[in-house]
Amino acid sequence: MAETPAAAPEAAPKSPIKKGSLVKVNRQAYSASLEAQASDGAAPDYLFEGPAEVLLLKGDYAQLRFRRPVPDVWLRADQLQVY
């Protein structure tokens, strides 16, 4: 009996965001997120102006470092857009 070739699993769409990328936060995606609800009411403008460098990717989250004297932040990668 001949085996039929198994359908190859579809590859997940690759995100253009990777380690070292320059990004900024998408205001609409962030404002509707759990992270925004857990933070202060008004997010600082530098989040949305960018650029921030992606230091590390873990799962769905990215660690960002801004070119300002502020702490690094972790945000979901789907809230980011390429700068």
Side-chain angles (χ1 to χ4, degrees):
M1 200 171 212
E3 292 184 30
T4 58
E10 291 185 30
K14 289 221 170 201
S15 172
I17 297 171
K18 54 188 168 193
K19 185 177 176 180
S21 297
L22 293 179
V23 297
K24 64 181 181 177
V25 179
N26 181 326
R27 188 179 298 268
Q28 292 174 336
Y30 177 78
S31 63
S33 72
L34 180 64
E35 291 84 357
Q37 294 173 5
S39 299
D40 288 338
D45 287 333
Y46 68 83
L47 281 179
F48 310 112
E49 294 168 357
E53 180 183 358
V54 176
L55 297 179
L56 187 64
L57 291 166
K58 272 195 174 178
D60 294 338
Y61 288 84
Q63 182 182 18
L64 306 178
R65 176 169 290 160
F66 290 87
R67 296 178 179 170
R68 296 171 178 250
V70 296
D72 297 344
V73 296
W74 285 88
L75 291 174
R76 280 197 338 257
D78 64 350
Q79 297 171 358
L80 306 176
Q81 60 190 31
V82 177
Y83 183 71

